[in-house]
Amino acid sequence: MAEVVGCFAASHTPLFVLRADRPAPEVRAKVFGQFERLGRTLVERGAEALIVLGNDHLQAFFLDRNPALAVGVASRFRAVRSEAWLPERPGGRPGHEALAGYLLRALLADGFDPTACQELPIDHSVVVPLYRMGDPPIPIVPVLQNTVAPPLPPAARAFELGRSIRRALDAYAGARRAAVLATGGPSHWIGTPEMGRIDEAWDRKVIDVCVQGGADALAKWTQPEIDAGGNGANEIRNWLAAAAAAGNTKADCWVYQPEPLWYIGATILEWPVGPPI
Amino acid sequence: MSRYAINKFVWDIQYPEPRARYEADPEGFLARYELTPEEVTAVRARGIRALWLLGVNPYLLRFFQLRAGVEEGAFHEALRGLTYLDSVREGGTHG
């Protein structure tokens, strides 16, 4: 059964690509260095599949048909056309179609209602972290939650999703080792009057809750508590799923680097993998 | 939930072909969206504030801003005095 070899969260701002060179060299080295370390770590630990817990920003999906939860079941994933600046790979990025199909069935059996996407253009929430990680050659399964168009699923649902993903991986015979990467967060405001603001206090509070092993408590935050971190803060749903998949352990913060030019406190967290919860 | 038609217009013109058709014939293109006169005015004027108050999803507003070439400073100026929290409160423009 698939051993879960790592559960992580990493910020995914487009500005990691579009303004890659603008911050000071030491900031770039620090943040991108940790992304590269993350890519190497996944390879060193022998991950054969990577579940990417991201969120579409009205690129692949629109308000006409917007899933609360979507799973990409395909052997290749191409970048969304509307983010033409995304670094594409020849033929797209490889998908672990077998794990995706299995995960879809497992989630349905476990009481979730994922939208099955046999073709799923991936936006910056998936591509930017993978790119900054050096695009490790590990097939992905995109699992996308709605974090951008209200009404949103409650945060507690994301925690339950992570538990379910872990149960599914523990029972999966089709890979020896798998990893989980949540993307996005922490506080940020995009397309709002506050765009560019970084709320360090909010960020440090959320990161500290994760470091203390309190993601289950974070999952009970109300929507107004999340809203205080901006519309981008809704992406902590991705973090909650990763934390729950790891067994709600105490996270290590690899980096927290507020960078005004990137509109984000760049964050990478790792939850050591413990027993399932 | 936000006003669908104006969001759809903003989403559609992310793509080169609809955008080209819009730029070639703005009135004709906009006529297909069943927008109110207020919404048409906001679009033609690249009115960031008006679009915000009309309930355009913030991520779509960001795309619109970038494609319309509105600088960050002008974007903030246009939204001065408004807040995200107000917009997502009960009855707000983006709830």
Side-chain angles (χ1 to χ4, degrees):
Chain A
M1 303 316 179
E3 180 195 354
V4 180
V5 297
C7 293
F8 305 89
S11 302
H12 67 215
T13 173
L15 298 176
F16 286 155
V17 172
L18 292 170
R19 291 187 183 175
D21 299 333
R22 285 185 53 184
E26 53 271 22
V27 170
R28 301 191 327 251
K30 185 173 168 189
V31 174
F32 295 158
Q34 292 301 311
F35 270 100
E36 286 154 22
R37 174 188 164 203
L38 178 52
R40 285 195 306 274
T41 299
L42 292 174
V43 171
E44 282 159 15
R45 294 186 191 172
E48 295 173 357
L50 178 65
I51 295 182
V52 181
L53 297 163
N55 56 283
D56 182 66
H57 299 79
L58 299 176
Q59 299 286 306
F61 302 125
F62 179 58
L63 303 175
D64 55 349
R65 288 148 221 151
N66 193 31
L69 176 65
V71 177
V73 184
S75 62
R76 304 220 69 95
F77 295 98
R78 295 180 200 281
V80 293
R81 286 194 299 132
S82 39
E83 288 183 325
W85 50 269
L86 280 172
E88 183 58 295
R89 306 279 295 173
R93 287 172 170 82
H96 202 300
E97 192 169 7
L99 173 57
Y102 164 82
L103 183 62
L104 187 71
R105 288 192 297 279
L107 289 172
L108 286 165
D110 219 18
F112 287 87
D113 305 299
T115 296
C117 301
Q118 294 187 32
E119 187 175 341
L120 182 56
I122 47 177
D123 83 346
H124 66 265
S125 75
V126 178
V127 175
V128 166
L130 290 178
Y131 171 73
R132 293 266 55 125
M133 286 155 57
D135 274 310
I138 303 170
I140 64 171
V141 177
V143 176
L144 309 181
Q145 298 177 71
N146 175 22
T147 71
V148 304
L152 307 184
R157 194 73 175 134
F159 192 82
E160 292 307 308
L161 174 66
R163 294 180 63 224
S164 189
I165 289 172
R166 174 61 183 277
R167 283 194 288 274
L169 290 173
D170 284 347
Y172 182 58
R176 288 167 298 182
R177 292 170 295 275
V180 174
L181 170 65
T183 84
S187 70
H188 55 295
W189 288 255
I190 301 299
T192 82
E194 303 84 352
M195 185 163 62
R197 175 189 298 179
I198 298 166
D199 189 331
E200 280 195 49
W202 193 96
D203 291 350
R204 290 187 188 281
K205 186 168 164 192
V206 165
I207 291 168
D208 193 59
V209 166
C210 294
V211 165
Q212 300 305 323
D216 54 338
L218 185 57
K220 297 190 176 91
W221 280 26
T222 62
Q223 190 57 47
E225 286 176 291
I226 299 171
D227 287 338
N231 54 345
N234 285 304
E235 291 160 1
I236 58 163
R237 285 166 176 75
N238 302 332
W239 292 22
L240 289 169
N248 197 28
T249 53
K250 296 185 180 190
D252 298 316
C253 182
W254 283 23
V255 62
Y256 174 66
Q257 180 66 43
E259 176 47 72
L261 288 166
W262 282 339
Y263 295 2
I264 203 84
T267 307
I268 297 179
L269 303 179
E270 176 178 12
W271 286 269
V273 181
I277 50 162
Chain B
M1 297 194 328
S2 308
R3 173 104 171 92
Y4 181 72
I6 187 73
N7 276 288
K8 181 157 176 62
F9 165 77
V10 174
W11 192 80
D12 281 349
I13 58 159
Q14 289 183 95
Y15 292 92
E17 196 267 331
R19 188 161 68 252
R21 283 193 283 123
Y22 169 60
E23 281 162 6
D25 175 20
E27 265 189 57
F29 188 83
L30 283 169
R32 299 167 44 213
Y33 286 85
E34 300 180 346
L35 299 176
T36 66
E38 190 189 2
E39 288 166 339
V40 172
T41 301
V43 165
R44 299 301 302 273
R46 298 179 177 181
I48 297 292
R49 189 183 190 88
L51 291 171
W52 172 268
L53 292 170
L54 286 166
V56 171
N57 184 285
Y59 289 99
L60 296 181
L61 189 61
R62 172 66 165 164
F63 307 150
F64 184 88
Q65 174 218 349
L66 293 173
R67 286 186 204 288
V70 175
E71 302 273 346
E72 304 291 71
F75 183 87
H76 285 107
E77 191 53 44
L79 296 179
R80 190 169 295 282
L82 299 169
T83 72
Y84 171 65
L85 288 181
D86 280 344
S87 76
V88 292
R89 277 189 226 293
E90 181 115 14
T93 47
H94 296 85

